[in-house]
Amino acid sequence: MKAIEISEPGGPEVLKACERPRPTPGPAQVLIRVAAAGVNRPDVFQRMGAYPPPPGASDLPGLEVAGTIVDGDCGDSGFAVGDRVCALVHGGGYAEYCLADNGVCLPIPDGLDEIQAAVLPETCFTVWSNVFDRAALAPGESLLVQGGSSGIGVTAIQIASALGHPVFATAGSAEKCQACESLGATAINYREQDFVAVVREHTGGRGVDVILDMVAGDYVPREIDCLAEDGRIVIIALLGGARATVNLGKIMSRRLSVSGSTLRPRSVAFKAAIAAQLRQRVWPLIESGQLKPVIHQIFALDDAAEAHRMMESSAHIGKLVLKL
């Protein structure tokens, strides 16, 4: 099969077309003929040598795919050979065929094609796991999304807004802020505005209940000042650095929580539980049109390096996808 491999750690140019054997599914695995694969920031980190795949996973990049099940053990998943699905995978998405655990497959939502469905799994799994499970965003509570125009950001805004939560989002340009506003958020241009001051103003000084943080670094002490009492920060990326100096007294006196997570190394059972929640709570939002895939650009598989260059430029709004 045709695939894109990482020839050595480095820049986008190390992504090379190659021929690989077609994977053979094991117990509780299905083989998907890939129609499209999402491009995500962890793919970039893996290409640079900073995010190795977990044991047993493919060394090929790619964490989400959409296509057709052509072989494997569907078990009691409810799927069968010939079904169109999208899936969160451990790796291997940049290829004509990809293995997926049957428990993390989801049906392609009604009204969507494979390209649109391919950009759903990584962001939907990440947002649900962190915002609604880990941070336990409750009815009536508010959410701040750092990086609202990213793939994760546009998904978080839409899910939270559709479920009735007030949403704030930071972005770095007027165009990106407008995109966040169109999806349901109060946008904050972090280059021109202080997100702490804006949130405090819009909440009557109370602050926000949950922050989904992809920046970390020196954002964290400011986020602590931005939280309401009993507020929660969940860190899912370290684009601003891995170190922060915080006032622990504020955390104690206002009963705040700061946590973090990574999704890729988690167990199949953990991810399957998220998939079940997505199918029940989020897939109806997609099929009703309340949540729509936001795709910035579609690339051919051979142009994966160009997709990575676009990702690293941060010029995109929403998701990037490879079409096979």
Side-chain angles (χ1 to χ4, degrees), residues 115-138:
I115 292 175
Q116 294 168 309
V119 304
L120 295 174
E122 198 268 347
T123 57
C124 287
F125 275 75
T126 298
V127 169
W128 193 266
S129 171
N130 288 284
V131 174
F132 295 94
D133 282 350
R134 177 169 291 275
L137 185 67

Side-chain angles (χ1 to χ4, degrees), residues 195-213:
F195 69 80
V196 179
V198 174
V199 167
R200 287 286 179 186
E201 178 184 354
H202 280 77
T203 59
R206 178 181 178 275
V208 73
D209 296 291
V210 171
I211 299 175
L212 183 63
D213 182 10

Side-chain angles (χ1 to χ4, degrees), residues 261-276:
S261 75
T262 56
L263 181 59
R264 190 178 190 183
R266 300 301 295 267
S267 69
V268 174
F270 178 86
K271 296 174 184 177
I274 299 173

Side-chain angles (χ1 to χ4, degrees), residues 81-313:
V81 171
D83 285 349
R84 297 165 61 245
V85 297
C86 56
L88 182 74
V89 297
H90 294 297
Y94 291 15
E96 291 180 313
Y97 293 89
C98 182
L99 294 176
D101 298 294
N102 62 35
V104 297
C105 292
L106 287 160
I108 292 180
D110 292 343
L112 267 58
D113 60 25
E114 284 89 348
I115 292 175
Q116 294 168 309
V119 304
L120 295 174
E122 198 268 347
T123 57
C124 287
F125 275 75
T126 298
V127 169
W128 193 266
S129 171
N130 288 284
V131 174
F132 295 94
D133 282 350
R134 177 169 291 275
L137 185 67
E141 289 190 329
S142 56
L143 172 69
L144 169 61
V145 181
Q146 302 286 21
S149 63
S150 67
I152 295 288
V154 299
T155 301
I157 291 169
Q158 290 187 84
I159 295 176
S161 295
L163 296 177
H165 298 278
V167 182
F168 300 89
T170 59
S173 71
E175 181 186 11
K176 290 182 176 182
C177 285
Q178 184 178 9
C180 293
E181 294 270 359
S182 71
L183 297 174
T186 298
I188 304 165
N189 188 330
Y190 66 81
R191 299 185 191 278
E192 301 175 354
Q193 299 170 287
D194 177 3
F195 69 80
V196 179
V198 174
V199 167
R200 287 286 179 186
E201 178 184 354
H202 280 77
T203 59
R206 178 181 178 275
V208 73
D209 296 291
V210 171
I211 299 175
L212 183 63
D213 182 10
M214 291 169 265
V215 182
D218 61 9
Y219 265 43
V220 177
R222 297 169 62 198
E223 289 170 345
I224 288 172
D225 289 338
C226 194
L227 283 177
E229 291 192 356
D230 297 299
R232 290 87 72 196
I233 300 169
V234 182
I235 299 169
I236 60 169
L238 304 171
L239 298 177
R243 296 182 180 275
T245 300
V246 301
N247 185 333
L248 298 178
K250 292 181 179 179
I251 293 175
M252 294 171 61
S253 64
R254 297 171 53 222
R255 303 176 305 280
L256 309 179
S257 299
V258 180
S259 67
S261 75
T262 56
L263 181 59
R264 190 178 190 183
R266 300 301 295 267
S267 69
V268 174
F270 178 86
K271 296 174 184 177
I274 299 173
Q277 293 181 72
L278 292 176
R279 192 163 185 174
Q280 178 183 8
R281 300 289 306 279
V282 176
W283 256 228
L285 302 178
I286 300 171
E287 293 179 341
S288 68
Q290 293 174 273
L291 193 166
K292 299 178 180 179
V294 179
I295 297 175
H296 183 85
Q297 190 168 345
I298 301 167
F299 297 83
L301 182 64
D302 285 339
D303 294 327
E306 291 304 314
H308 276 227
R309 290 187 181 95
M310 174 67 73
M311 174 69 69
E312 290 183 281
S313 76

